[in-house]
Amino acid sequence: MSYTPPDYMDDLNRALNVSLDTDDCELQATAAINEVDRLQGIEKLLRDNLVHIIAALEQKRDSDADNEREGEAEEAGTLIRLLRSLPDQAPAEFYTENEEEEEEEDGGA
């Protein structure tokens, strides 16, 4: 069984949470591209300002701890750790290598 372009578009839209009640491929592609652009804009804003965001959260965490708001201080600390561990986009080689490994595991199919 092969993976068709409509399968790809359906999977892509599902991954992007794009739900359109149409079979118009151009409209679906436009919606997907718009969502990718939106997400990339958010990521750029976050990554470009990450140092400042983390610094502000550290100040908030320290202030919360000083004012005995341990729950809020812990939440800020968790968010700091999550922001520091944001993964970068996997390089294309990651997908190519995995694809080849999967083919080998499947018996070269």
Side-chain angles (χ1 to χ4, degrees):
M1 182 175 210
S2 66
Y3 193 65
T4 66
D7 292 334
Y8 173 78
M9 183 57 79
D10 290 345
D11 287 347
L12 184 62
N13 284 338
R14 195 172 11 268
L16 292 170
N17 201 27
V18 172
S19 178
L20 300 174
D21 190 20
T22 182
D23 289 333
D24 183 337
C25 292
E26 187 174 349
L27 185 59
Q28 289 182 2
T30 299
I33 290 167
N34 288 342
E35 181 60 7
V36 168
D37 288 344
R38 186 185 76 81
L39 293 170
Q40 286 178 337
I42 292 168
E43 181 178 19
K44 181 172 177 9
L45 175 72
L46 178 64
R47 289 194 186 273
D48 288 352
N49 296 287
L50 195 55
V51 171
H52 302 293
I53 294 168
I54 290 173
L57 283 167
E58 288 172 337
Q59 286 182 340
K60 181 186 180 327
R61 180 196 57 202
D62 295 346
S63 173
D64 287 340
D66 291 345
N67 290 303
E68 299 179 6
R69 295 188 298 263
E70 292 303 321
E72 291 181 29
E74 188 175 317
E75 288 175 6
T78 299
L79 186 52
I80 290 166
R81 285 188 298 282
L82 288 171
L83 289 170
R84 285 185 174 150
S85 66
L86 281 175
D88 290 327
Q89 181 180 12
E93 296 82 33
F94 172 82
Y95 299 103
T96 304
E97 290 171 8
N98 283 345
E99 202 173 86
E100 291 169 359
E101 289 172 10
E102 288 174 7
E103 285 180 9
E104 288 173 10
E105 289 173 6
D106 292 341

